[in-house]
Amino acid sequence: MTIDDAPREALRGGPRELLRWVATGAAVSRADLSRLSGLSPSTVSQRVEALINQGLLEETGAGRSRGGRRPRQLAVPTGGAVVGAIDLGAHHARVGTLDLSGRVVQARTLPVRIEEGPEQVLGSLLAEVAALAASPGDPTSAGPVSSASTADGDPGALRGLGIGIPGPVQHATGRIVSPSRMPGWNGFDVAAFCAGRVDVPIIVDNDANLMALGAHRTAHSELDHAVYIKAGTGIGSGVISSGRLHRGAQGSAGDISHCRVVADPAPLCSCGNAGCLEAVASGAALVTALREQGVTVSDLTGVIRLIDDGDRHATALARQAGRAIGEILAVVVNFFNPQVVAIGGRLADCEPLLASMRATLYERCLPLATQTLLIERVAASQDVGITGAAHLVIDHVVAAN
Amino acid sequence: MTIDDAPREALRGGPRELLRWVATGAAVSRADLSRLSGLSPSTVSQRVEALINQGLLEETGAGRSRGGRRPRQLAVPTGGAVVGAIDLGAHHARVGTLDLSGRVVQARTLPVRIEEGPEQVLGSLLAEVAALAASPGDPTSAGPVSSASTADGDPGALRGLGIGIPGPVQHATGRIVSPSRMPGWNGFDVAAFCAGRVDVPIIVDNDANLMALGAHRTAHSELDHAVYIKAGTGIGSGVISSGRLHRGAQGSAGDISHCRVVADPAPLCSCGNAGCLEAVASGAALVTALREQGVTVSDLTGVIRLIDDGDRHATALARQAGRAIGEILAVVVNFFNPQVVAIGGRLADCEPLLASMRATLYERCLPLATQTLLIERVAASQDVGITGAAHLVIDHVVAAN
DNA sequence: CCACTTTCTTCGACTACCGAATCAAGTCGG
DNA sequence: CCGACTTGATTCGGTAGTCGAAGAAAGTGG
C-alpha cells in the first residue's frame, strides 16, 4: 500500500502539531497547547480528547500549580504504537522505530552493501525493523540495541514505514529513477516490494528530503523557508518552502548533484558530464581524487581522518569541495532566499569544507539575502533521516485517523 | 496605507478565483463555476450572490441551453471600479487601469528617466494613473490612449494601486533596497510617498515578481511551480511555489542578477564583483559590450535591431548571454524543479539568446527535471507586469470585502 | 474563609460547506 | 403538443469546526 500525496494541512494546530508539542515538552497541559497553537481552549480540549481516544496521548496526573488549578499533564504514551524508518546510505543504513510523536524509540546503524541489490538489502532491513518493532522500547537508546524480543511491556504495533533512498525517487509511486552509485536499483519499486512484506502504509522518499524534513521539524519548525544540504558519499539537498517539503514537478527538487561547477581539471562524473558538483565535492569524489594523487585511502572515513589530521592534500580537496558547494548554494540562496541553510551528512563535520562553503556563500550572495541568513550544521545528524521519514509517515497515519 | 502580508487563501474556489474564471471566460454560469471549482452548486450560488452584491459581478441575461434550462450568464461589470498599476522600467513605464477581475481597461507606455529621482518619476506616473482612472474605460485598448476625461459613463473609482520597481523591494514595507541603475532611489519608501498622494491601498513589489504573478495567473494558473525570468535592461526572476508568489525570507527571492557565471573576460558589475549574470547577460551589458567592440549603438532597442539584422558581434553576445542565463537557470531548475520556465522582458524576443538558453538548460539539467519542463516565452509580455500588480492589489481588496 | 488565579469543560452561536429536494426552464422524441 | 428527460439554480436542513462566554474545578495567598 502506497501513499500518493503530501500532507495538506498539519500546519496550524493540526493534531500532529499538538502531538509534537507534547512530545517535545513544549506543552504539558491543554492550556499550554492553547497558548502555543492560538486555538481556543475549547477547541484544544476537543482535539486532545480525540487524541486520547485514539491512544496517541494520555493523561499522567496533575502537574505543579502556578497559582491556580493544577494542570492535567499530558504525555505521549510509551510502549505504544510506533512507525518504522529506514535511512539507507551508500555504506550504512540507520534503522529505527519512532513513536507517533516522532521521537526515536530504538535505532541502530547497520552496514550495507548497496550493490547486493534491492531485494537483498531491503529484505534484511525490513527484518530489522520488524525485530525492533517487536522488541520493547528503550526510549533513550541511540546505539545498537539487542533485538531480542523479551516478554515485558506491550510491543508497539507497527503503524507505518518510511524509507529514505540515496538517489532520485518518484515519491508518488515509490520508484527509483536512474540513481548513480546504486547498481541494480534503477526502476525498482521500493514501495511495492515492501508492501509485499509489511502490511502498513509505506512512504519512500529521497534521503536528502527526509533529512530536510527531520531537521526542519526538530530545529527550525518556526522558519518558513529552509535549505538542507546532505553531503556524504553523494550530494543532495532538501527544500522546505512555506513550512512544507518542496518536491517540485517531478519530485526531483533539490537534486543539485549534477550542477556544473568550475574545477580544474573538471573530473568526469558518472552521468557522463564533467565538472558535476557530485564529481567534485561528494565524499566519493574526494576518495577518488585522493587516490589519483597517490594517497592510499580506504573510504570516506579515511578521508575525513586525513583532513582532521591536517593532511594538506586532503584539506585542499575539502576546501575545493566547500567552494564548489558554496558556489551552487550561492545561486540557490539568491534565488530562493531561505532563512537557513544547514549542512548535514558526514562531510558536515569537516571544518575546512564548511569554512570554504561559508566564505563562498558570503562572497557570492546578495547582501540582502545573507544578512540574516543562518548557516548551520544539521543537528542530531545521525537520527535526522529516520526522524524525517517517521514524520512523513505519521503525518499520514494521524491525518487518516 | 500599506498592505503588509500576502494573500492567505484565494486559491481553492476563493472569491477571487471565481471572479477570474468569469473574467477569462472559463465560466459563464454558476454551474460552470461549480464544475470548475469543485464546490457544490449551493455554495457557488451563495458566493456569486455575495459578489453580485459587492458589485464585482453581474448577471447579463440567459445563455444558450445545452439541453436543459438556460444558464444565467455572469460577467464582470465594465466601467466599474478599477485598480491602478504601474510597471516601472529603466526607460519606460507601463501604466494602466484594470478591472477587478484583472483585465486591462486602459494602458499606456510612457517614457521615463529614472535618474530624475523618485519624486519626479512617481509623481508624474501617479498623475497618469489618476487621469486614466478618471477617464472612461475602453476595454480593448492596448496602445496609448487619450486621457481626456469625457463625461460619458461612470468613471470607475480607484480601489487600489500596484507598483512594480526594477530593483530590490522590501515588499513588507514598500521600501527600495540598494538598487543598481536607480540613482537616487536607494532607501526610498515608495508606498509612503504614494500613500500621501492617493488614498487607496498600495502595494509595491519587484517588477520580476509582478511579471511572474501576472504570467502565472494568465497562462499557467493550473501549474504549481513556475519560474519567470525577466531579461530587459536588467535581469531578474520571479518564483511561483505551490501556486503562490515566493518572496523568501527577505523578499529578495528570485534576484539572480549577481550570480556569477563563467565569462571571458569577466566584465565588471556595478556591484563591484566581476562576472555577475547582470554584467554578462542584461540588456545594459549587451549595449556596453557592443560599444566596447566599437559598434555604435544607442540603446537596447538598437542592440535588438542589430541581432535581428544578423550582426555577428551582436548575435555572438546574445548567444553568450543566453548561455549565461541558461547556466544559472540550470541550477535553479535542478534545485526547484518547476513545471515551467518562461522568459519575458525585451530580450525574450531575441531568438539566438533564447536558443542558447534552451540548449544550455537541456545540457546541464537532470533529464528528470527537463523531461516535462516547459520552456516558453512570457505571453502578452507588455501588460503582464501591470496585470500582476493588479492581481496582487485585487487579492487584498476583494479579500477585505 | 475569602479573593483571586489558573485550568479545563460546557454550552450556545456562528461560519462554511455540503447534499437532497425542489423549482425553473429548457430540449427532444413521439 | 405533450410528457420524459436534461440542465441550471435555489431552498433548506444538516454537519463539522471553530470561537466566546460562562462557569466548574482546583489550586494559592492573605
Side-chain angles (χ1 to χ4, degrees), chain B residues 94-319:
Chain B
R94 184 81 176 164
V95 179
T97 52
L98 299 89
D99 65 28
L100 294 185
S101 71
R103 263 184 317 200
V104 175
V105 175
Q106 300 183 82
R108 55 180 308 188
T109 301
L110 301 175
V112 155
R113 286 200 298 166
I114 205 115
E115 63 277 10
E116 286 176 346
E119 283 91 352
Q120 181 88 17
V121 170
L122 288 175
S124 63
L125 293 177
L126 284 178
E128 183 63 26
V129 169
L132 288 181
S135 77
D138 170 6
T140 57
S141 136
V145 160
S146 151
S147 62
S149 176
T150 69
D152 101 314
D154 185 25
L158 193 65
R159 297 280 192 96
L161 178 59
I163 304 176
I165 302 287
V169 176
Q170 253 187 292
H171 172 258
T173 61
R175 198 181 284 276
I176 296 179
V177 191
S178 37
S180 2
R181 276 192 313 281
M182 294 180 73
W185 290 67
N186 187 20
F188 188 76
D189 189 336
V190 177
F193 175 82
C194 296
R197 329 233 149 179
V198 193
D199 188 28
V200 291
I202 292 166
I203 289 186
V204 185
D205 209 330
N206 174 268
D207 62 340
N209 280 350
L210 296 185
M211 186 185 90
L213 191 67
H216 181 255
R217 290 283 175 90
T218 49
H220 304 130
S221 57
E222 76 290 357
L223 301 181
D224 290 325
H225 312 301
V227 173
Y228 299 89
I229 305 289
K230 180 161 185 176
T233 304
I235 279 199
S237 80
V239 190
I240 302 287
S241 174
S242 298
R244 297 157 66 144
L245 190 56
H246 173 85
R247 289 204 178 77
Q250 306 294 317
S252 78
D255 195 336
I256 52 171
S257 46
H258 300 288
C259 289
R260 196 166 310 186
V261 294
V262 291
D264 192 32
L268 262 169
C269 178
S270 60
C271 74
N273 283 320
C276 293
L277 180 61
E278 180 161 289
V280 173
S282 71
L286 294 187
V287 172
T288 306
L290 269 181
R291 284 189 185 146
E292 278 173 5
Q293 294 183 9
V295 181
T296 311
V297 68
S298 58
D299 57 1
L300 183 50
T301 310
V303 175
I304 292 175
R305 197 175 308 126
L306 280 177
I307 295 169
D308 285 344
D309 290 350
D311 177 275
R312 58 200 173 114
H313 294 105
T315 307
L317 282 172
R319 288 208 172 274

Side-chain angles (χ1 to χ4, degrees), chain A residues 55-349:
Chain A
L56 301 178
L57 221 50
E58 63 181 7
E59 288 193 352
T60 57
R64 187 188 305 277
S65 163
R66 289 189 298 180
R69 172 174 173 175
R70 294 190 316 206
R72 296 163 65 177
Q73 282 183 306
L74 299 172
V76 176
T78 57
V82 295
V83 298
I86 299 173
D87 185 13
L88 185 59
H91 305 108
H92 301 276
R94 184 79 175 164
V95 179
T97 52
L98 299 91
D99 65 28
L100 294 186
S101 71
R103 261 184 321 200
V104 176
V105 175
Q106 300 184 80
R108 55 182 308 189
T109 301
L110 301 175
V112 154
R113 286 200 299 166
I114 205 114
E115 63 276 11
E116 286 177 345
E119 283 92 352
Q120 180 89 14
V121 170
L122 288 175
S124 62
L125 293 176
L126 285 177
E128 184 61 27
V129 169
L132 288 181
S135 78
D138 169 7
T140 57
S141 136
V145 160
S146 149
S147 63
S149 176
T150 68
D152 103 311
D154 186 24
L158 193 66
R159 296 279 193 97
L161 177 60
I163 304 175
I165 301 286
V169 176
Q170 253 186 293
H171 172 257
T173 61
R175 196 181 284 277
I176 295 179
V177 190
S178 39
S180 1
R181 275 193 316 282
M182 295 178 72
W185 290 67
N186 186 19
F188 189 76
D189 189 336
V190 177
F193 175 82
C194 296
R197 330 234 148 178
V198 193
D199 189 28
V200 291
I202 292 166
I203 289 187
V204 185
D205 209 330
N206 174 267
D207 62 341
N209 281 350
L210 295 186
M211 186 186 88
L213 191 67
H216 181 256
R217 291 281 175 91
T218 50
H220 304 131
S221 56
E222 75 290 358
L223 301 180
D224 290 326
H225 312 303
V227 173
Y228 299 89
I229 305 288
K230 180 162 185 176
T233 303
I235 279 197
S237 80
V239 190
I240 301 287
S241 175
S242 298
R244 296 157 67 146
L245 190 57
H246 173 85
R247 290 205 178 75
Q250 306 294 317
S252 78
D255 195 337
I256 52 172
S257 46
H258 300 288
C259 289
R260 196 165 311 186
V261 294
V262 291
D264 191 33
L268 261 169
C269 178
S270 60
C271 74
N273 282 320
C276 293
L277 180 61
E278 180 161 288
V280 173
S282 69
L286 293 187
V287 172
T288 307
L290 270 182
R291 284 187 185 148
E292 277 173 4
Q293 293 183 10
V295 181
T296 311
V297 68
S298 59
D299 56 1
L300 182 51
T301 309
V303 175
I304 292 176
R305 196 175 310 127
L306 281 177
I307 296 169
D308 285 343
D309 291 347
D311 178 275
R312 57 197 175 115
H313 293 105
T315 307
L317 282 172
R319 289 208 172 274
Q320 187 188 18
R323 276 193 300 274
I325 296 174
E327 206 176 293
I328 297 301
L329 216 42
V331 177
V332 164
V333 166
N334 280 336
F335 171 78
F336 190 66
N337 190 208
Q339 275 134 3
V340 59
V341 169
I343 180 164
R346 298 176 63 202
L347 285 176
D349 295 317

Side-chain angles (χ1 to χ4, degrees), chain B residues 211 229-232 281 300 304 325 342-355 357-358 376-379 381:
Chain B
M211 186 185 90
I229 305 289
K230 180 161 185 176
L300 183 50
I304 292 175
I325 297 174
I343 180 164
R346 297 176 64 201
L347 285 175
D349 295 318
C350 176
E351 282 302 340
L353 185 146
L354 208 61
M357 188 192 86
R358 277 197 141 95
E376 298 180 352
R377 220 175 300 231
V378 169
S381 193

